[in-house]
Amino acid sequence: MSDCLFCRIVARQTPAQFVYEDDRAAAFKDVNPQAPTHVLIVPKKHISSLAEASDEDAELLGHLQRVACRIALEHSLTKGFRVVTNNGRGAGQSVDHLHYHLLGGRAMTWPPG
Ligand code: AMP
């Protein structure tokens, strides 16, 4: 989608610091990091949010989480890390292209704000 920020990043039309890419997924550093490691993992396919994913996307959703684990290992997040997606404005979603936040490198609190 040409009017989607993360589609434009995936298409390399908007710059980002990529840390991973394959045929189905891409990952790049969050421009406003909330932890020493803050990476966004996105599907290349445009899906607006987790709630908009279909049963057909189940394998893709699993793949995104496997990518998150791989990046966590590469960043040596041995003390722990968090993978989270915000679904909808009420949960803090600001970009309408499904993305998982990978956060690590500092102590995490629960519940998140
Ligand atoms: P959310 O609020 O859960 O939708 O997350 C969107 C995330 O995208 C936020 O953490 C933003 O800091 C991040 N973000 C916005 N624009 C960019 C960009 N151009 N490159 C990388 N991250 C971005």
Side-chain angles (χ1 to χ4, degrees):
M1 274 176 67
S2 60
D3 59 344
C4 168
L5 173 62
F6 289 173
C7 283
R8 288 200 307 272
I9 287 176
V10 164
R12 310 275 176 163
Q13 292 164 351
T14 295
Q17 277 187 274
F18 279 75
V19 299
Y20 178 86
E21 185 171 18
D22 63 30
D23 59 330
R24 290 178 287 167
F28 47 87
K29 292 185 179 179
D30 195 294
V31 78
N32 182 24
Q34 302 300 309
T37 296
H38 188 172
V39 171
L40 301 175
I41 298 105
V42 307
K44 289 191 167 177
K45 171 184 176 181
H46 182 85
I47 301 171
S48 305
S49 68
L50 184 59
E52 293 300 319
S54 69
D55 288 346
E56 274 180 14
D57 299 316
E59 193 186 346
L60 175 60
L61 297 177
H63 179 62
L64 296 173
Q65 293 183 58
R66 293 296 304 142
V67 169
C69 285
R70 176 180 172 153
I71 296 168
L73 273 176
E74 286 171 0
H75 285 72
S76 303
L77 301 179
T78 52
K79 289 185 175 171
F81 58 88
R82 182 169 289 168
V83 178
V84 64
T85 187
N86 298 322
N87 192 99
R89 291 288 178 269
Q93 184 175 7
S94 61
V95 178
D96 292 333
H97 181 124
L98 173 62
H99 50 283
Y100 288 99
H101 297 257
L102 168 64
L103 298 146
R106 66 166 170 82
M108 301 283 162
T109 58
W110 191 263

Short mmCIF file of all heavy atoms in Angstrom, two decimals, residues 17 19 28-40 71-72 75-77 79-82 102-108:
data_model
loop_
_atom_site.label_atom_id
_atom_site.label_comp_id
_atom_site.label_asym_id
_atom_site.label_seq_id
_atom_site.Cartn_x
_atom_site.Cartn_y
_atom_site.Cartn_z
N GLN A 17 16.72 1.48 9.34
CA GLN A 17 17.90 0.66 9.65
C GLN A 17 17.48 -0.80 9.75
O GLN A 17 17.05 -1.26 10.80
CB GLN A 17 18.52 1.12 10.97
CG GLN A 17 19.44 2.32 10.82
CD GLN A 17 20.15 2.59 12.13
OE1 GLN A 17 19.61 3.29 12.99
NE2 GLN A 17 21.32 2.04 12.30
N VAL A 19 17.61 -4.74 10.14
CA VAL A 19 18.46 -5.72 10.83
C VAL A 19 18.20 -7.13 10.30
O VAL A 19 18.95 -8.06 10.61
CB VAL A 19 18.27 -5.67 12.37
CG1 VAL A 19 18.64 -4.30 12.91
CG2 VAL A 19 16.85 -6.05 12.76
N PHE A 28 13.45 -3.82 11.32
CA PHE A 28 14.26 -2.61 11.30
C PHE A 28 14.15 -1.94 12.67
O PHE A 28 13.21 -2.19 13.45
CB PHE A 28 13.82 -1.66 10.18
CG PHE A 28 12.33 -1.44 10.09
CD1 PHE A 28 11.70 -0.45 10.82
CD2 PHE A 28 11.55 -2.26 9.27
CE1 PHE A 28 10.33 -0.26 10.75
CE2 PHE A 28 10.16 -2.07 9.18
CZ PHE A 28 9.56 -1.06 9.93
N LYS A 29 15.13 -1.08 12.96
CA LYS A 29 15.17 -0.43 14.26
C LYS A 29 14.06 0.59 14.39
O LYS A 29 13.77 1.34 13.44
CB LYS A 29 16.53 0.24 14.47
CG LYS A 29 17.66 -0.76 14.61
CD LYS A 29 18.97 -0.07 14.93
CE LYS A 29 20.08 -1.11 15.07
NZ LYS A 29 21.39 -0.50 15.35
N ASP A 30 13.43 0.61 15.58
CA ASP A 30 12.41 1.62 15.85
C ASP A 30 13.08 2.98 15.92
O ASP A 30 14.14 3.14 16.53
CB ASP A 30 11.69 1.31 17.16
CG ASP A 30 10.40 2.10 17.29
OD1 ASP A 30 10.46 3.34 17.41
OD2 ASP A 30 9.31 1.48 17.30
N VAL A 31 12.47 3.97 15.28
CA VAL A 31 13.05 5.31 15.19
C VAL A 31 13.00 6.02 16.55
O VAL A 31 13.74 6.97 16.78
CB VAL A 31 12.31 6.11 14.09
CG1 VAL A 31 10.97 6.64 14.56
CG2 VAL A 31 13.17 7.23 13.55
N ASN A 32 12.17 5.55 17.46
CA ASN A 32 12.02 6.15 18.79
C ASN A 32 12.15 5.05 19.85
O ASN A 32 11.17 4.65 20.48
CB ASN A 32 10.66 6.85 18.89
CG ASN A 32 10.47 7.55 20.22
OD1 ASN A 32 11.44 7.91 20.90
ND2 ASN A 32 9.22 7.73 20.62
N PRO A 33 13.38 4.53 20.02
CA PRO A 33 13.56 3.31 20.82
C PRO A 33 13.16 3.49 22.28
O PRO A 33 13.47 4.49 22.91
CB PRO A 33 15.06 3.02 20.68
CG PRO A 33 15.69 4.30 20.26
CD PRO A 33 14.65 5.04 19.49
N GLN A 34 12.48 2.46 22.79
CA GLN A 34 12.02 2.44 24.18
C GLN A 34 12.87 1.50 25.03
O GLN A 34 12.56 1.27 26.20
CB GLN A 34 10.55 2.01 24.24
CG GLN A 34 9.62 2.91 23.44
CD GLN A 34 9.66 4.35 23.93
OE1 GLN A 34 9.52 4.61 25.13
NE2 GLN A 34 9.87 5.29 23.02
N ALA A 35 13.92 0.97 24.45
CA ALA A 35 14.84 0.06 25.15
C ALA A 35 16.13 0.05 24.33
O ALA A 35 16.12 0.43 23.15
CB ALA A 35 14.23 -1.34 25.24
N PRO A 36 17.24 -0.39 24.92
CA PRO A 36 18.49 -0.44 24.16
C PRO A 36 18.36 -1.20 22.85
O PRO A 36 18.95 -0.82 21.84
CB PRO A 36 19.46 -1.12 25.14
CG PRO A 36 18.94 -0.71 26.49
CD PRO A 36 17.45 -0.71 26.36
N THR A 37 17.62 -2.31 22.86
CA THR A 37 17.25 -2.98 21.61
C THR A 37 15.75 -2.78 21.40
O THR A 37 14.95 -3.14 22.27
CB THR A 37 17.56 -4.49 21.65
OG1 THR A 37 18.97 -4.68 21.77
CG2 THR A 37 17.06 -5.18 20.39
N HIS A 38 15.37 -2.14 20.32
CA HIS A 38 13.95 -1.97 19.98
C HIS A 38 13.83 -2.10 18.47
O HIS A 38 14.17 -1.19 17.71
CB HIS A 38 13.44 -0.60 20.44
CG HIS A 38 11.95 -0.44 20.30
ND1 HIS A 38 11.27 0.65 20.79
CD2 HIS A 38 11.00 -1.23 19.71
CE1 HIS A 38 9.97 0.52 20.51
NE2 HIS A 38 9.79 -0.61 19.85
N VAL A 39 13.38 -3.27 18.06
CA VAL A 39 13.29 -3.63 16.64
C VAL A 39 11.83 -3.90 16.32
O VAL A 39 11.10 -4.49 17.14
CB VAL A 39 14.17 -4.87 16.34
CG1 VAL A 39 13.94 -5.38 14.93
CG2 VAL A 39 15.66 -4.53 16.54
N LEU A 40 11.40 -3.49 15.14
CA LEU A 40 10.05 -3.79 14.66
C LEU A 40 10.13 -4.89 13.63
O LEU A 40 10.95 -4.82 12.69
CB LEU A 40 9.43 -2.54 14.03
CG LEU A 40 9.32 -1.31 14.96
CD1 LEU A 40 8.81 -0.10 14.17
CD2 LEU A 40 8.42 -1.59 16.15
N ILE A 71 16.42 -12.55 16.09
CA ILE A 71 17.05 -11.24 16.30
C ILE A 71 17.44 -11.08 17.77
O ILE A 71 18.50 -10.54 18.09
CB ILE A 71 16.11 -10.12 15.83
CG1 ILE A 71 15.87 -10.23 14.33
CG2 ILE A 71 16.68 -8.74 16.18
CD1 ILE A 71 14.73 -9.37 13.81
N ALA A 72 16.60 -11.57 18.68
CA ALA A 72 16.94 -11.50 20.11
C ALA A 72 18.24 -12.25 20.38
O ALA A 72 19.11 -11.77 21.12
CB ALA A 72 15.79 -12.08 20.93
N HIS A 75 21.18 -10.34 19.12
CA HIS A 75 21.48 -9.19 19.97
C HIS A 75 21.86 -9.60 21.39
O HIS A 75 21.94 -8.74 22.27
CB HIS A 75 20.29 -8.22 19.98
CG HIS A 75 20.15 -7.42 18.72
ND1 HIS A 75 19.72 -7.97 17.52
CD2 HIS A 75 20.39 -6.13 18.45
CE1 HIS A 75 19.71 -7.03 16.58
NE2 HIS A 75 20.11 -5.92 17.11
N SER A 76 22.03 -10.91 21.59
CA SER A 76 22.48 -11.45 22.89
C SER A 76 21.56 -11.01 24.03
O SER A 76 22.04 -10.62 25.10
CB SER A 76 23.92 -11.02 23.18
OG SER A 76 24.77 -11.45 22.15
N LEU A 77 20.27 -11.07 23.80
CA LEU A 77 19.32 -10.67 24.86
C LEU A 77 19.07 -11.85 25.79
O LEU A 77 17.95 -12.33 25.97
CB LEU A 77 18.01 -10.17 24.22
CG LEU A 77 18.16 -8.96 23.28
CD1 LEU A 77 16.81 -8.57 22.70
CD2 LEU A 77 18.79 -7.79 24.02
N LYS A 79 19.20 -12.10 28.99
CA LYS A 79 18.51 -11.87 30.26
C LYS A 79 17.00 -11.77 30.07
O LYS A 79 16.26 -11.63 31.04
CB LYS A 79 19.04 -10.60 30.93
CG LYS A 79 20.46 -10.76 31.46
CD LYS A 79 20.89 -9.52 32.22
CE LYS A 79 22.26 -9.74 32.85
NZ LYS A 79 22.81 -8.49 33.41
N GLY A 80 16.57 -11.76 28.84
CA GLY A 80 15.13 -11.70 28.58
C GLY A 80 14.82 -10.63 27.56
O GLY A 80 15.61 -9.72 27.31
N PHE A 81 13.68 -10.80 26.97
CA PHE A 81 13.21 -9.81 25.98
C PHE A 81 11.69 -9.87 25.92
O PHE A 81 11.07 -10.82 26.44
CB PHE A 81 13.83 -10.06 24.59
CG PHE A 81 13.56 -11.42 24.01
CD1 PHE A 81 12.43 -11.66 23.25
CD2 PHE A 81 14.44 -12.48 24.23
CE1 PHE A 81 12.18 -12.92 22.72
CE2 PHE A 81 14.20 -13.73 23.70
CZ PHE A 81 13.07 -13.96 22.94
N ARG A 82 11.11 -8.85 25.32
CA ARG A 82 9.65 -8.80 25.20
C ARG A 82 9.27 -8.65 23.74
O ARG A 82 9.90 -7.86 23.02
CB ARG A 82 9.10 -7.63 26.03
CG ARG A 82 7.59 -7.53 26.01
CD ARG A 82 7.08 -6.54 27.03
NE ARG A 82 7.26 -7.03 28.39
CZ ARG A 82 7.13 -6.28 29.50
NH1 ARG A 82 6.82 -5.01 29.38
NH2 ARG A 82 7.31 -6.81 30.69
N LEU A 102 10.13 -5.86 19.31
CA LEU A 102 11.09 -6.65 20.08
C LEU A 102 11.85 -5.66 20.95
O LEU A 102 12.52 -4.76 20.43
CB LEU A 102 12.05 -7.40 19.17
CG LEU A 102 13.26 -8.03 19.86
CD1 LEU A 102 12.85 -9.12 20.85
CD2 LEU A 102 14.24 -8.59 18.82
N LEU A 103 11.70 -5.83 22.27
CA LEU A 103 12.33 -4.92 23.22
C LEU A 103 13.25 -5.71 24.13
O LEU A 103 12.88 -6.79 24.63
CB LEU A 103 11.26 -4.24 24.08
CG LEU A 103 10.27 -3.35 23.32
CD1 LEU A 103 8.90 -3.40 23.96
CD2 LEU A 103 10.78 -1.92 23.26
N GLY A 104 14.44 -5.19 24.37
CA GLY A 104 15.36 -5.87 25.26
C GLY A 104 16.53 -4.99 25.63
O GLY A 104 16.68 -3.87 25.13
N GLY A 105 17.34 -5.51 26.57
CA GLY A 105 18.52 -4.77 26.98
C GLY A 105 18.31 -3.95 28.23
O GLY A 105 19.20 -3.22 28.66
N ARG A 106 17.13 -4.06 28.81
CA ARG A 106 16.87 -3.41 30.11
C ARG A 106 15.83 -4.24 30.84
O ARG A 106 15.15 -5.09 30.23
CB ARG A 106 16.38 -1.97 29.93
CG ARG A 106 15.03 -1.84 29.27
CD ARG A 106 14.47 -0.43 29.46
NE ARG A 106 13.29 -0.15 28.65
CZ ARG A 106 12.04 -0.50 28.96
NH1 ARG A 106 11.82 -1.22 30.05
NH2 ARG A 106 11.03 -0.18 28.18
N ALA A 107 15.69 -3.97 32.15
CA ALA A 107 14.67 -4.67 32.92
C ALA A 107 13.29 -4.21 32.46
O ALA A 107 13.09 -3.03 32.16
CB ALA A 107 14.85 -4.40 34.40
N MET A 108 12.36 -5.14 32.38
CA MET A 108 10.98 -4.84 31.97
C MET A 108 10.07 -4.91 33.19
O MET A 108 10.28 -5.73 34.08
CB MET A 108 10.50 -5.87 30.94
CG MET A 108 11.33 -5.95 29.69
SD MET A 108 10.99 -4.59 28.56
CE MET A 108 12.46 -4.68 27.54
#
